[in-house]
Amino acid sequence: MNLIESSVDGIIAADMKGNIFIFNKGAEALTGYKPEEVIGKIHITQIYPEGIAKEVMRKLRSTEYGGVAKLLPTQFNVVNKAREEIPIHLSAALIYDGSGNEVASVGIFTDLRPRIIMEKKLQETHLQLVGSEKLASLGKLAAGIAHEINNPLGGILIYASLMMEDLTQEDTRRGDLERIVQEASRCKEIVKSLLQFARQTEPKMEPTDINRAITDGLFFLENQALFHNIKIMKKLDPFLPLVRGNGSQLKQVFMNIIVNAAEAMVGNGTLTIITSLGPDRKTVFVEFTDTGEGIPEENLTRIFDPFFTTKDVGKGTGLGLSTSYGIVEDHGGKISVRSKVGEGSTFTIELPVHQTTQPTLERQLVSDAR
Ligand SMILES: Nc1ncnc2c1ncn2[C@@H]1O[C@H](COP(=O)(O)OP(=O)(O)OP(=O)(O)O)[C@@H](O)[C@H]1O
Ligand SMILES: [Mg+2]
């Protein structure tokens, strides 16, 4: 009896009428019922969802699930005291008297919740690993291509510009050449983005005011048509410490995310921007929440890939987020996303605080107080 009582697994035995007569501590932990609430009071069918107790008996009597009178571990749900269903593995046996009549059934119930949680965590870690590996190899590929393209592109730009200088103002070929220069410059921008994603450019790192980078970025965007019907709520922590970073690169990251948000809201909705200092005071958090269309789950692992876009040809290159990813990684930070289709998305950026400097505002307050 002690062995049964002290088992971590739930052990429950019932007679052939379904009256429970053994209900150990494990069963108590699993179901939330105390033995005295169960023994002689609750029918075995009540600890299963409807029809399951019958199915267990049928499987026990059949030869297919581990031999007659036996049931090898099979997944079912049990219903606990709070009427919630809990996934379990059940192994069970029928017990006979001396003349071969069925007298009782006994089941061992293993709670599957810890295992399910662990499996989910493992799967998530695996996905993250695959994701970062994929991005790393994509980065190498991108950097290789970008380097190769950079030189001939430089040539195109220089020679086209030289030719343009030779032409008179009236020359009709001027327009064509201007077009060549324009398009080649666009290619150069793309190459630059790719190099940034692959972290092949070395930006100057200095103490940077994140609130300022956001405000500067917004200044450029706010007056554009896309933003006319978008409400922007700023909750910027005035005591935010500086981060070690490159202001113009971070501004670019914020602008990419803000433009994406506006595009996801099709020019109508609310964008909330929050900056805050993490509880360990070593990390600055920047959060952008939109009320846009959201991102389907199957795309969540792809949006940081270079050239991944759901926008029409000519509207999006799919480089905004991959570039931003590269820049944030370069800053020793992290970028992540949460989203629900139809409700909106939140992009969060974490950046390490600059170790030796104080935030401008705090510094000023301190000097004012002197
Ligand atoms: N806030 C958002 N809400 C919904 N979807 C988003 C959001 N931000 C990004 N996405 C999705 O991620 C994709 C990739 O974004 P990314 O910024 O990298 O490229 P893009 O906006 O399509 O093109 P580009 O930024 O190069 O012009 C988008 O096409 C869109 O599907
Ligand atoms: Mg974009």
Side-chain angles (χ1 to χ4, degrees):
M1 197 64 184
N2 245 342
L3 201 69
I4 291 178
E5 199 42 50
S6 57
S7 158
V8 182
D9 286 329
I11 299 179
I12 302 175
D15 64 20
M16 292 329 285
K17 289 202 188 96
N19 300 314
I20 294 171
F21 63 90
I22 293 177
F23 195 85
N24 77 341
K25 281 232 156 52
E28 183 180 331
L30 183 71
T31 60
Y33 289 115
K34 296 228 170 304
E36 57 269 27
E37 296 176 289
V38 175
I39 293 178
K41 295 201 174 118
I42 284 186
H43 197 258
I44 188 79
T45 49
Q46 281 173 269
I47 66 153
Y48 291 106
E50 215 182 306
I52 297 299
K54 253 208 177 114
E55 187 184 333
V56 171
M57 285 313 284
R58 186 179 60 76
K59 288 193 166 160
L60 267 173
R61 287 179 181 129
S62 141
T63 50
E64 282 167 43
Y65 306 93
V68 172
K70 276 202 202 113
L71 174 67
L72 288 177
T74 310
Q75 186 167 346
F76 290 106
N77 285 350
V78 292
V79 178
N80 70 6
K81 195 176 173 183
R83 310 308 295 164
E84 295 157 341
E85 295 200 6
I86 296 167
I88 51 111
H89 260 165
L90 169 66
S91 23
L94 277 175
I95 297 164
Y96 298 90
D97 65 9
S99 6
N101 302 314
E102 294 175 354
V103 285
S105 65
V106 56
I108 301 177
F109 298 75
T110 311
D111 190 345
L112 287 182
R113 285 173 300 182
R115 191 186 303 179
I116 289 172
I117 292 172
M118 193 127 90
E119 275 168 7
K120 197 157 170 238
K121 268 213 180 108
L122 249 172
Q123 202 186 6
E124 274 169 16
T125 319
H126 180 71
L127 271 179
Q128 265 170 13
L129 259 176
V130 171
S132 57
E133 238 169 57
K134 182 182 68 182
L135 285 183
S137 53
L138 268 174
K140 277 190 205 132
L141 180 73
I145 297 174
H147 270 304
E148 289 302 313
I149 291 180
N150 225 0
N151 289 338
L153 211 53
I156 293 173
L157 269 171
I158 288 174
Y159 286 106
S161 310
L162 283 177
M163 268 174 87
M164 206 139 76
E165 281 175 20
D166 290 342
L167 299 181
T168 59
Q169 284 298 335
E170 302 78 48
D171 201 309
T172 46
R173 288 168 298 176
R174 252 194 118 77
D176 296 346
L177 274 175
E178 261 164 22
R179 194 68 198 269
I180 291 174
V181 171
Q182 223 175 46
E183 298 287 307
S185 304
R186 203 171 111 73
C187 291
K188 264 209 113 73
E189 281 304 309
I190 293 178
V191 166
K192 204 169 112 197
S193 299
L194 277 176
L195 286 174
Q196 243 160 26
F197 165 68
R199 275 161 270 147
Q200 303 272 325
T201 52
E202 270 188 31
K204 205 168 142 227
M205 296 290 194
E206 51 204 0
T208 304
D209 183 343
I210 290 299
N211 289 339
R212 172 89 190 270
I214 293 171
T215 326
D216 282 357
L218 276 176
F219 177 78
F220 278 108
L221 300 171
E222 260 171 337
N223 292 322
Q224 296 190 17
L226 182 63
F227 285 83
H228 280 171
N229 289 318
I230 287 178
K231 193 167 167 223
I232 297 176
M233 308 239 293
K234 279 181 284 184
K235 295 180 191 161
L236 308 181
D237 177 356
F239 297 108
L240 204 66
L242 303 174
V243 305
R244 185 180 165 276
N246 180 283
S248 68
Q249 280 200 341
L250 289 175
K251 189 167 83 185
Q252 189 191 339
V253 170
F254 301 147
M255 285 169 73
N256 284 340
I257 291 175
I258 294 169
V259 169
N260 280 346
E263 285 172 343
M265 295 188 280
V266 213
N268 214 321
T270 307
L271 169 65
T272 312
I273 308 176
I274 303 173
T275 59
S276 60
L277 181 59
D280 62 357
R281 308 189 70 78
K282 287 187 184 143
T283 317
V284 163
F285 286 84
V286 193
E287 229 180 61
F288 299 85
T289 302
D290 65 56
T291 55
E293 60 187 358
I295 304 165
E297 206 175 319
E298 65 268 23
N299 286 352
L300 280 177
T301 51
R302 305 171 65 199
I303 55 172
F304 297 105
D305 292 356
F307 302 114
F308 175 80
T309 180
T310 54
K311 290 163 194 168
D312 292 342
V313 181
K315 277 217 168 139
T317 353
L319 280 175
L321 283 180
S322 55
T323 311
S324 306
Y325 177 93
I327 292 175
V328 172
E329 283 264 300
D330 232 5
H331 281 71
K334 276 190 226 154
I335 179 166
S336 56
V337 59
R338 277 175 291 138
S339 185
K340 216 165 182 191
V341 171
E343 286 181 19
S345 313
T346 299
F347 282 81
T348 308
I349 294 170
E350 296 170 39
L351 293 164
V353 163
H354 194 277
Q355 288 311 328
T356 51
T357 44
Q358 281 185 33
T360 30
L361 233 151
E362 209 162 72
R363 215 163 33 214
Q364 200 167 353
L365 287 178
V366 171
S367 69
D368 283 355
R370 279 197 187 120

